[in-house]
Amino acid sequence: MDQLTGTTASQPAAGLAFRTAAEADVPALVGLVESAYRGESSRAGWTTEADLLEGQRTDPEGVAEVVTGADSRMLVAERDGALVACCQLERRGDLAYFGMFAVRPALQGEGLGRVVLAEAERTAREEWGAREMQMTVLTAREDLIAWYVRRGYRRTGRTSPFPYGDERFGIPQRGDLRFELLVKPLG
């Protein structure tokens, strides 16, 4: 039993509520995403990118764009009224893009991420009619890619460069950062 959440790893969805983020959520969402990927606080979880990138992971403008966009939404997961996870969904025709996925570092490893990912897939399929979910993941994050592969995502081998020089996405600590496209049929 986890003393913080009152759940066990076998019941990650217990007490979890999903909703679409509102503009008032933007500051908390930025904080959650930053805490899951950057800085020392991110090291409490396994999704940290602190050894690959310094600086910010996102900013209020980028999150607000997702929250207010006509073809996007930020899905929020709460437990007992507290923000515990989020993800971006973007409609791209009959495809959906999944991004800005974050789980509070102290709660990582409990299965919460699996539940949020499944809800995102359900939402894209049932509400938008998406036939496929797509995402990009840093190729240096083999552990994260393996996690997605175990959830049915397929590596495509199609890569795109990291936006070096654009500090909105962080300050690279290596010169070999690239993104790989992962896909999963939703039908």
Side-chain angles (χ1 to χ4, degrees), residues 168-183:
R168 289 178 304 154
F169 302 101
I171 303 167
Q173 302 303 295
R174 303 169 36 162
D176 65 344
L177 297 179
R178 298 189 63 72
F179 294 103
E180 182 173 356
L181 178 67
L182 305 181
V183 299

Side-chain angles (χ1 to χ4, degrees), residues 119-140:
E119 178 64 13
E121 292 168 353
R122 185 203 65 75
T123 298
R125 182 181 59 251
E126 294 180 10
E127 295 183 22
W128 290 345
R131 64 174 177 78
E132 181 178 88
M133 185 78 86
Q134 298 184 343
M135 69 177 76
T136 56
V137 180
L138 286 169
T139 58

